[in-house]
C-alpha cells in the first residue's frame, strides 16, 4: 500500500521528465548496491546462522561494523567519481545531484544491511518497521519538497534525509537500555569465505541490474527522460504487489530454511506450500492487471501518466508474477550455497532483456521495454527452476523432495532463536 500511495504522490507532484531523471539516478544506485554491497549482506545473513549453529553466535554480533561503513563509503565515493568522469555533459545528473545520489547510495546500503540482519535473526517486527518507514516516508518527503521547487536536487535531498532519519532512530534505539551490546562485527572478517560466497552474487547483481533496471537507460538513450518517467511509473505500480508478496513470503521463510540448513549441515529445502502460495498470488495478480489495468491506472496514476499505462501494466505484471514464483527457487539456491545457479539464470534473463530491449525500444518505446521485461522474467523463472531441479536430481540440493523435508526444523522457529546473543 505504501508503494501504491508513493506512486500516486510522485506522479501527482513530479512531471514525467523529473520523475524519469530521478528513476535513472536510483537505477545507478541500484547497480552499485547490487554489485558491491548486497552480496556481502547476503553473506552476513548466512554467516550468522552458521555461527548460531556452532553454538557461538556472539562471534557475529548483528551491529554496524566500522569496516562495513568504511567499505560502503569508499564504494560510494568511487562510484560518484567514476560517473562524474564518464558523464560530464550533465544530461541526467549535474555535479551536485551526483553528490546526493552518492549519499543515497551509502545510506540505502546501511538501511538494507540493518533490515536484512533483522530478518535473519527472526526480528521480523523491526525489519517490517524499517521497510514500512522508508516506503511511506520517502515519497511523502519528496512530494513535500516540491513546495520548494521542482528539481531533482530537492528530490534526492528529501530521499537522503529520510534514510538518514531512519538510521538515526535505529542508532538511538540500539544505544538504549534494551539495545544490543558487545563488539561490532567486521564484515571484512573471514574475507576468503566471504568472497567465495559473494563473487557469484556480485556477477548476479550486475546481471540482475541488466534484467531489472537497464531498460530505463535504453529507453532514455533512444527517447528521453519523459518516456523513462512514464515507463517507470507503470513499472513501479505493476511490480509493487508482486515484490511485496514475494518479500513477505521470503522474509518469513528465510530464517527457517537457512537456519534448518545450517543446523542439519545439508542443503536448504522448501516445502511445497511455499510454491503453491506464490503460484496462486502470481496468477491472481497477473489476471487482475490484465483485466482491470485501465481502472488501476485511473485510481493510482496521475492524469498525465495514464495514457499508455494499461498495456504496460499487463506485461510487467505478467513478468513479475513469474519472478515471484522464482523466489522459491532462489531461496533454495541460496540455502544450498549454490549461488552460481542465480548467476546463470540471471545471465540468461539479462541477455534476453537487453537483446529484446535494443530490438523493441527504438520503435515501440515504453511498450517495447514492457514486452522485453515480461519475456525476460519468464526466462529467469524457467532457468532457475531448471537449474534447481537439476540439482535435485544430482543430489546437490532439492527444494521440493517428496519425503526428505525436515518438517520439525521448519515448524520450530524457536530453535533458531534460542541461541541468539
Amino acid at each position: 500500500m505504501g508503494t501504491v500511495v508513493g506512486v500516486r504522490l510522485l506522479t501527482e507532484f513530479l512531471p514525467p521528465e523529473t520523475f524519469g531523471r530521478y528513476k535513472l539516478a536510483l537505477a545507478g544506485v541500484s547497480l552499485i548496491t547490487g554489485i558491491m554491497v548486497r552480496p556481502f549482506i547476503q553473506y552476513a545473513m548466512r554467516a550468522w546462522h552458521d555461527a548460531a549453529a556452532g553454538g557461538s553466535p556472539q562471534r557475529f554480533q548483528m551491529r554496524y561494523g566500522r569496516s562495513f561503513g568504511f567499505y560502503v563509503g569508499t564504494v560510494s565515493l568511487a562510484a560518484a567519481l567514476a560517473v562524474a568522469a564518464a558523464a560530464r555533459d550533465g544530461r541526467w545528473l549535474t555535479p551536485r545531484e551526483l553528490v546526493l545520489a552518492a549519499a543515497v547510495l551509502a545510506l540505502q546500503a546501511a538501511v538494507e544491511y540493518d533490515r536484512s540482519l533483522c530478518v535473519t535473526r527472526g526480528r521480523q517486527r523491526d525489519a517490517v518497521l524499517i521497510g514500512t518507514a522508508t516506503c511511506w516516508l520517502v515519497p511523502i518527503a519528496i512530494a513535500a519538497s516540491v513546495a520548494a521547487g521542482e528539481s531533482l536536487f530537492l528530490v534526492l535531498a528529501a530521499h537522503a534525509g529520510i534514510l538518514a532519519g531512519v538510521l538515526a532512530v535505529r542508532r538511538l534505539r540500539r544505544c538504549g537500555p534494551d539495545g544490543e551490546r558487545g563488539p561490532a562485527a567486521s564484515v571484512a572478517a573471514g574475507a576468503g569465505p566471504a568472497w567465495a560466497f559473494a563473487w557469484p552474487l556480485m556477477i548476479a547483481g550486475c546481471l540482475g541490474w541488466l534484467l531489472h533496471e537497464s531498460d530505463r537507460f535504453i529507453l532514455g538513450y533512444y527517447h528521453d527522460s519523459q518516456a523513462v518517467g512514464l515507463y517507470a511509473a507503470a513499472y513501479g505500480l505493476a511490480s509493487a504487489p508482486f515484490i511485496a508478496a514475494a518479500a513477505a513470503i521470503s522474509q518469513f521463510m528465510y530464517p527457517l530454511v537457512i537456519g534448518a540448513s545450517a543446523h542439519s549441515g545439508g542443503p536448504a529445502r522448501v516445502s511445497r506450500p511455499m510454491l503453491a502460495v506464490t503460484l496462486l498470488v502470481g496468477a491472481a495478480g497477473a489476471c487482475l492487471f490484465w483485466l482491470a489495468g485501465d481502472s488501476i491506472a485511473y485510481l493510482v496514476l496521475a492524469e498525465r501518466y495514464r495514457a499508455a499505462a494499461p498495456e504496460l501494466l499487463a506485461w510487467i505484471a505478467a513478468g513479475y508474477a513469474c519472478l515471484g514464483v522464482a523466489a522459491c527457487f532462489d531461496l533454495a539456491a541460496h540455502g544450498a550455497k549454490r549461488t552460481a545457479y542465480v548467476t546463470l539464470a540471471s545471465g540468461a534473463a539479462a541477455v534476453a532483456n537487453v537483446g529484446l530491449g535494443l530490438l523493441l525500444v527504438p520503435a515501440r518505446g515504453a511498450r517495447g521495454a514492457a514486452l522485453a521485461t515480461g519475456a525476460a522474467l519468464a526466462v529467469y523463472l524457467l532457468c532457475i527452476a531448471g537449474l534447481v531441479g537439476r540439482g535435485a536430481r544430482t543430489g546437490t540440493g532439492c527444494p521440493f523432495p517428496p519425503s526428505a523435508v525436515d518438517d520439525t526444523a521448519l515448524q520450530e522457529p524457536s530453535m533458531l532463536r534460542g541461541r541468539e546473543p
Side-chain angles (χ1 to χ4, degrees), residues 185-246:
S186 171
V187 175
W195 276 102
F197 182 91
W199 74 261
L201 293 180
M202 296 176 76
I203 299 173
C206 179
L207 297 174
W209 182 85
L210 292 173
L211 174 59
H212 296 286
E213 306 280 355
S214 64
D215 46 8
R216 292 156 177 77
F217 285 92
I218 296 174
L219 191 58
Y221 178 80
Y222 284 105
H223 296 275
D224 53 27
S225 57
Q226 181 175 354
V228 176
L230 296 173
Y231 173 71
Y235 194 105
L237 174 57
S239 63
F242 301 97
I243 292 175

Side-chain angles (χ1 to χ4, degrees), residues 175-195:
C175 293
D178 298 327
E180 298 174 1
R181 302 188 182 277
S186 171
V187 175
W195 276 102

Side-chain angles (χ1 to χ4, degrees), residues 333-361:
H334 281 86
K337 297 185 179 181
R338 299 287 175 176
T339 50
Y341 290 170
V342 180
T343 303
L344 294 173
S346 297
V351 169
N353 190 44
V354 174
L356 289 172
L358 293 173
L359 181 64
L360 298 175
V361 166

Side-chain angles (χ1 to χ4, degrees), residues 19 66 221:
F19 187 59
R66 292 181 179 178
Y221 178 80

Side-chain angles (χ1 to χ4, degrees), residues 133-163:
T134 55
C135 185
W136 280 88
L137 295 179
V138 167
I140 292 174
I142 290 174
S145 72
V146 175
E150 292 183 354
S151 71
L152 181 59
F153 177 82
L154 293 174
V155 169
L156 291 173
H159 193 151
I162 293 300
L163 295 176

